[in-house]
């Protein structure tokens, strides 16, 4: 069966070197040019020395199908001593308040920083000096809007020149990200620009936090992010640990192929609410239970094992947040939806196990759509 799974990976998952190189060059050039224009048009954005962190499924090599979606963190730096910033998680699940020190409040008053745009920051906090997600996101959106409005337009789209070619682009606000869509002939490439701040556990360990910082990976990797993901409370920021997750997944042999196959199955079976991060989290938990040797085994054995693990999680109606286990990632999914997922996965697993010896190509039926399977 491994041969058929590898064929599915080759035809339906693997991104060609040509597409990877072509789209990556466009993305890199577009992001750098966009940041340059944003720095030119906004003195505060320029003063915060934005840098780029390449994250998400494409850069983790977990992307399925085509290289058309990219997640890029825009890391901003405040000119203050970060050890004086208090991250107060208040017993929340992987979220925190960000309480700014007096030196942050002085940035809007000191002439040298005020003239560099920091007058804007005096509106970012409430009376308890908590940094507002909503006001920060609105400011970030205004910076991008100013940058794009300086570009020529064709119809509703702006035109940006990168690599000696003009590309039409559109921008929209999507969750914590500013999504830029690049129109490359018949191809649309989406870039999620997520404005973030980085912290180090040696200087800023969130107090009253339910994240399990005793995990071994934190002994080696101290850097983490806060992300302005909108919630019902405009003053709570999401904690994010992409560097730690990447390290956990490193050198696990068939791990990534199994993740991608299950993501492909999710798409084929139209489990639309089963996010990629939920699937990734199931695998992260299994890494803690299995030795490295387990991930070196047969791809088909590994895949069936992980399908059963995923099914069992859904049957229990829970996938615990890897970093904050009290939080159930499935809590907002309807029970009827999870019941349907569980039944469908049980049928697929049974069908594969029943027929894998005499008809190993059975996986093609489940992992590809009918018209794709025929090809």
């Amino acid at each position: 069966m491994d041969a058929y799974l590898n064929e599915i990976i080759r035809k339906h998952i693997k991104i060609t070197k040509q597409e990877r190189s072509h789209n990556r060059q466009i993305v890199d050039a577009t992001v750098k040019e966009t940041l340059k224009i944003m720095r030119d048009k906004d003195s505060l954005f320029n003063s915060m020395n934005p840098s780029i962190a390449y994250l998400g499924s494409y850069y983790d090599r977990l992307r399925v199908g085509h290289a058309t979606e990219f997640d890029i963190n825009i890391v901003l730096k405040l000119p203050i001593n970060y050890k004086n910033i208090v991250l107060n998680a208040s017993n929340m699940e992987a979220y925190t308040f960000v309480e700014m020190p007096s030196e942050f409040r002085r940035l809007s008053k000191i002439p040298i920083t005020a003239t560099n745009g920091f007058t804007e920051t005096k509106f970012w906090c409430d009376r308890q000096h908590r940094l507002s997600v909503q006001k920060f996101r609105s400011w970030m959106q205004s910076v991008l809007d100013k940058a794009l409005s300086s570009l020529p337009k064709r119809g509703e789209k702006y035109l940006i020149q990168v690599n000696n070619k003009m590309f039409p682009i559109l921008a929209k606000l999507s969750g914590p990200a500013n999504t830029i869509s690049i129109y490359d002939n018949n191809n649309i490439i989406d870039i999620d620009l997520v404005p973030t701040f980085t912290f180090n556990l040696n200087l800023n360990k969130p107090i009253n936090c339910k994240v399990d910082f005793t995990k071994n990976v934190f002994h080696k990797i101290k850097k983490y992010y806060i992300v302005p993901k909108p919630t019902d409370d405009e003053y709570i920021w999401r904690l994010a640990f992409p560097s730690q997750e990447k390290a956990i997944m490193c050198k696990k042999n068939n791990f990534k192929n199994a993740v991608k196959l299950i993501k492909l199955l999710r798409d084929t079976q139209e489990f639309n609410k089963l996010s990629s991060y939920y699937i990734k989290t199931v695998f992260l938990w299994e890494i803690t239970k299995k030795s490295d040797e387990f991930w070196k085994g047969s791809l088909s054995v590994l895949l069936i094992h992980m399908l059963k693990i995923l099914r069992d999680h859904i049957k229990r109606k829970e996938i615990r947040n890897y970093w904050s286990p009290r939080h159930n990632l499935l809590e907002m999914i309807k029970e009827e939806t999870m019941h349907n997922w569980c039944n469908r996965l049980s049928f697929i697993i049974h069908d594969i196990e029943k027929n894998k010896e005499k008809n190993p190509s059975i996986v093609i039926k489940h992992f590809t759509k009918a018209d794709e399977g025929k090809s």
Side-chain angles (χ1 to χ4, degrees):
M1 197 166 73
D2 280 32
Y4 289 99
L5 291 174
N6 287 321
E7 186 69 5
I8 291 170
I9 290 170
R10 187 182 69 82
K11 287 186 176 180
H12 303 283
I13 292 178
K14 191 174 182 180
I15 302 168
T16 66
K17 288 183 179 179
Q18 182 179 4
E19 179 186 0
R20 186 184 297 276
S21 175
H22 176 78
N23 289 9
R24 178 70 185 267
Q25 287 178 19
I26 293 174
V27 168
D28 288 351
T30 301
V31 170
K32 289 174 182 176
E33 181 63 19
T34 301
L35 289 192
K36 178 179 178 298
I37 300 170
M38 291 171 72
R39 296 188 73 157
D40 289 343
K41 296 300 178 182
D42 191 279
S43 58
L44 175 56
F45 186 78
N46 184 55
S47 298
M48 293 170 75
N49 295 314
S51 59
I52 298 171
Y54 297 98
L55 304 169
S57 61
Y58 173 82
Y59 299 102
D60 284 342
R61 296 298 180 96
L62 295 177
R63 177 73 184 150
V64 172
H66 297 280
T68 55
E69 294 181 8
F70 296 79
D71 298 322
I72 295 177
N73 276 18
I74 306 302
V75 183
L76 301 171
K77 174 71 176 175
L78 294 166
I80 61 175
N81 190 335
Y82 272 45
K83 73 177 182 179
N84 295 325
I85 299 174
V86 176
L87 300 181
N88 186 351
S90 295
N91 293 315
M92 289 180 291
E93 307 299 340
Y95 282 85
T96 185
F97 293 111
V98 183
E99 299 171 4
M100 304 305 288
S102 58
E103 60 186 294
F104 173 80
R105 304 193 290 277
R106 289 196 294 268
L107 293 175
S108 63
K109 302 173 183 177
I110 299 172
I112 189 170
T113 50
T115 56
N116 285 330
F118 282 93
T119 52
E120 177 83 27
T121 61
K122 69 181 178 181
F123 304 109
W124 287 6
C125 295
D126 65 359
R127 291 182 178 180
Q128 296 170 265
H129 316 305
R130 298 179 305 177
L131 191 62
S132 167
V133 166
Q134 180 179 319
K135 291 171 182 174
F136 175 76
R137 290 173 70 242
S138 296
W139 166 75
M140 184 68 180
Q141 181 66 45
S142 71
V143 176
L144 182 58
D145 288 344
K146 278 192 292 187
L148 295 182
S149 65
S150 69
L151 298 173
K153 292 189 76 175
R154 180 191 299 158
E156 295 182 350
K157 298 181 180 70
Y158 295 99
L159 298 174
I160 190 168
Q161 182 171 350
V162 295
N163 297 338
N164 298 315
K165 182 178 177 181
M166 298 295 286
F167 290 94
I169 63 172
L170 283 176
K172 65 178 179 180
L173 194 60
S174 176
N178 299 90
T179 301
I180 295 177
S181 298
I182 307 171
Y183 292 79
D184 177 27
N185 298 321
N186 295 323
N187 192 26
I188 301 176
I189 305 171
D190 288 328
I191 309 171
D192 281 350
L193 298 179
V194 183
T196 63
F197 296 101
T198 59
F199 290 90
N200 189 297
L201 284 173
N202 289 333
L203 294 177
N204 304 91
K205 185 176 180 179
I207 61 175
N208 301 317
C209 188
K210 292 303 177 183
V211 170
D212 184 4
F213 289 114
T214 64
K215 291 181 183 291
N216 289 334
V217 70
F218 286 119
H219 298 159
K220 299 178 181 179
I221 305 174
K222 303 294 184 180
K223 184 175 74 172
Y224 64 100
Y225 297 83
I226 61 169
V227 179
K229 183 177 181 179
T231 64
D232 292 337
D233 188 332
E234 72 167 285
Y235 295 100
I236 60 174
W237 294 65
R238 182 167 65 85
L239 298 166
F241 307 98
S243 301
Q244 288 81 3
E245 290 172 3
K246 193 168 186 174
I248 292 169
M249 297 185 297
C250 184
K251 296 180 180 179
K252 293 295 185 291
N253 297 79
N254 274 325
F255 172 93
K256 291 185 178 181
N257 279 338
V259 174
K260 288 187 283 190
L261 281 165
I262 290 181
K263 287 172 66 174
L264 178 65
L265 181 72
R266 179 268 319 267
D267 296 341
T268 302
Q269 301 297 326
E270 298 182 352
F271 297 168
N272 298 325
K273 298 290 186 179
L274 185 62
S275 80
S276 295
Y277 192 71
Y278 299 169
I279 295 170
K280 180 180 174 181
T281 299
V282 170
F283 275 79
L284 290 176
W285 279 116
E286 201 63 12
I287 285 176
T288 65
K289 302 173 185 177
K290 300 294 184 182
S291 68
D292 287 349
E293 289 300 313
F294 172 78
W295 304 102
K296 296 177 182 178
S298 162
L299 177 57
S300 58
V301 172
L302 172 59
L303 179 64
I304 292 173
H305 173 82
M306 291 309 302
L307 282 173
K308 290 179 178 178
I309 294 294
L310 176 61
R311 179 205 53 199
D312 292 346
H313 275 281
I314 293 170
K315 187 175 183 179
R316 295 194 303 270
K317 303 179 178 61
E318 68 170 27
I319 296 175
R320 294 291 164 184
N321 186 313
Y322 184 77
W323 304 110
S324 186
R326 285 198 326 181
H327 178 212
N328 179 13
L329 298 176
L330 297 181
E331 63 184 8
M332 300 304 290
I333 306 296
K334 293 180 180 178
E335 286 199 21
E336 180 184 0
T337 299
M338 289 188 281
H339 182 72
N340 291 336
W341 289 350
C342 184
N343 286 345
R344 187 62 189 163
L345 284 172
S346 293
F347 170 77
I348 291 169
I349 293 166
H350 175 75
D351 196 32
I352 292 174
E353 290 196 311
K354 178 182 177 182
N355 294 285
K356 63 182 180 181
E357 299 298 334
K358 61 181 180 181
N359 181 23
S361 66
I362 188 69
V363 290
I364 296 175
K365 179 179 76 172
H366 297 297
F367 283 80
T368 65
K369 295 185 184 296
D371 56 340
E372 294 173 339
K374 290 177 183 178
S375 67

